Amino acid sequence: MMNMQDNGLVKLSQIIYDYCGLRYADRLPTLKEKVSKRVLELGLSHWEYCQYLKMSPGEWDVIVELLTINETYFYREENQLTECCSYVLSLIKRKNKNRPIRIWSAACSSGEEPYSLAMLIQETGQFLPGSIEIIATDINKKVLQKAEMGWYHHGSFAFRRTPENLLKKYFTDEDGGHQIKPSIQKMVQFQYLNLLEQDKIFQLGEVDIIFCRNVLIYFDHDTTKRVIRSLHQNLADGGYLFLGHAESITDMTLGFKKVDSDKTFYYRKESDQNETVQCISG
């Protein structure tokens, strides 16, 4: 039989799921390990902490920081980045002649993904300043602050795959780290966003390309469907969706068509039909 403390942990797992889609109902020991220090610091039980979250909404920033995994690095899954910048952007450029191309990096963490896109776009030499807008969002406000600063420690694993010539070209050495150059920094706009808040997603406006990589693996089936529907609705017809290699959409009835290239795959939005999509993550 569960005691009050266990019941509190179950309740906490439910309100976390409702808030941001992270599922801990079947991983309660993991949840307990992640929040134990914070709960002890406040002198609360798990049950009391649930009430505390309701009374102090700002506490969500703290718990999200404890729960989210921000493992990322520059040029992660490089084949997708190259495919986007050397091929997909050219296709969209021919279609979008009167407005900037808009790219959305969802769950951008500390900024490595959107900055990688910005650097590769610069490398193409095909786009004038202002012709491409990169919007980068995350639910973790602390990593967003780091992303906006654009400074990364010399010993950071963020540079494990960064070509040396690009490191020298787009970064300067500053205070024991690498500082992204202003020409790249100004190409990216960072903002807070919870992927379960559909109305906030709509406020981003229509985008041509979405990168939502290595996010769906943390959601259950229902939450994955919910997020994919929101991404689909915000994506322009003929726009492109890049997921992580461990994530795939197996039922194309929502209007996504899989695109296979030599070294990677991604999805193209074919229509705006409000139909069901089945997604499998893992």
Side-chain angles (χ1 to χ4, degrees):
M1 179 178 291
M2 283 190 178
N3 57 33
M4 182 63 74
Q5 182 76 345
D6 292 332
N7 283 332
L9 202 57
V10 171
K11 177 65 175 177
L12 180 59
S13 71
Q14 182 60 50
I15 63 175
I16 289 171
Y17 176 77
D18 293 341
Y19 179 76
C20 61
L22 296 178
R23 184 173 179 82
Y24 284 96
D26 53 353
R27 296 186 298 137
L28 293 180
T30 300
L31 176 59
K32 184 176 181 179
E33 181 180 353
K34 287 178 177 289
V35 303
S36 60
K37 184 177 179 180
R38 178 58 176 168
V39 170
L40 184 63
E41 186 178 81
L42 293 171
L44 302 174
S45 67
H46 292 129
W47 188 267
E48 290 168 335
Y49 189 60
C50 293
Q51 309 309 309
Y52 183 75
L53 279 167
K54 292 179 180 179
M55 295 184 296
S56 307
E59 180 66 15
W60 279 111
D61 295 342
V62 177
I63 197 168
V64 163
E65 184 183 335
L66 294 173
L67 298 177
T68 52
I69 299 171
N70 297 292
E71 167 67 19
T72 186
Y73 49 90
F74 289 99
Y75 296 96
R76 186 177 188 179
E77 296 181 16
E78 183 180 351
N79 290 335
Q80 287 189 332
L81 299 173
T82 302
E83 180 79 6
C84 174
C85 297
S86 64
Y87 177 66
V88 171
L89 281 176
S90 298
L91 297 179
I92 298 175
K93 182 181 179 181
R94 290 199 290 268
K95 183 179 69 171
N96 291 7
K97 296 182 178 180
N98 299 316
R99 67 171 180 84
I101 297 172
R102 306 187 76 226
I103 303 173
W104 174 21
S105 171
C108 68
S109 187
S110 44
E112 287 87 342
E113 178 178 271
Y115 284 142
S116 295
L117 286 166
M119 286 184 274
L120 287 173
I121 289 167
Q122 286 265 34
E123 285 295 292
T124 68
Q126 297 178 14
F127 300 93
L128 296 172
S131 63
I132 293 182
E133 298 175 358
I134 302 175
I135 306 102
T137 68
D138 202 275
I139 194 173
N140 187 326
K141 293 180 180 178
K142 186 171 183 178
V143 295
L144 281 173
Q145 290 175 352
K146 179 180 178 181
E148 287 183 313
M149 289 176 60
W151 182 91
Y152 304 86
H153 194 275
H154 276 153
S156 171
F157 282 119
F159 298 104
R160 71 185 78 170
R161 299 290 299 275
T162 309
E164 188 65 26
N165 64 311
L166 296 185
L167 186 61
K168 292 180 179 179
K169 186 174 181 179
Y170 294 113
F171 291 85
T172 57
D173 287 336
E174 188 174 310
D175 298 328
H178 298 291
Q179 175 66 52
I180 197 85
K181 287 188 175 180
S183 60
I184 298 300
Q185 209 166 3
K186 69 182 182 181
M187 290 178 66
V188 185
Q189 299 175 346
F190 292 98
Q191 67 182 77
Y192 167 84
L193 184 72
N194 182 342
L195 287 174
L196 296 195
E197 295 183 318
Q198 192 175 51
D199 58 331
K200 299 293 177 60
I201 291 177
F202 291 161
Q203 290 174 20
L204 293 178
E206 189 174 75
V207 296
D208 302 289
I209 299 170
I210 298 176
F211 277 80
C212 186
R213 304 189 298 175
N214 308 304
V215 178
L216 304 182
I217 54 175
Y218 300 107
F219 295 151
D220 64 7
H221 180 79
D222 291 340
T223 304
T224 299
K225 287 202 302 182
R226 178 178 170 184
V227 170
I228 288 293
R229 286 194 181 107
S230 294
L231 299 184
H232 180 272
Q233 291 178 28
N234 241 53
L235 194 60
D237 285 342
Y240 295 86
L241 171 65
F242 288 83
L243 302 177
H245 287 154
E247 303 160 324
S248 65
I249 304 171
T250 58
D251 186 336
M252 301 302 166
T253 56
L254 185 61
F256 280 113
K257 180 179 180 180
K258 187 180 180 185
V259 180
D260 288 296
S261 69
D262 290 339
K263 296 182 179 180
T264 190
F265 67 90
Y266 47 101
Y267 300 91
R268 183 177 187 272
K269 178 178 175 177
E270 295 294 294
S271 68
D272 247 334
Q273 299 170 358
N274 291 320
E275 299 176 12
T276 303
V277 63
Q278 178 181 351
C279 306
I280 295 180
S281 302

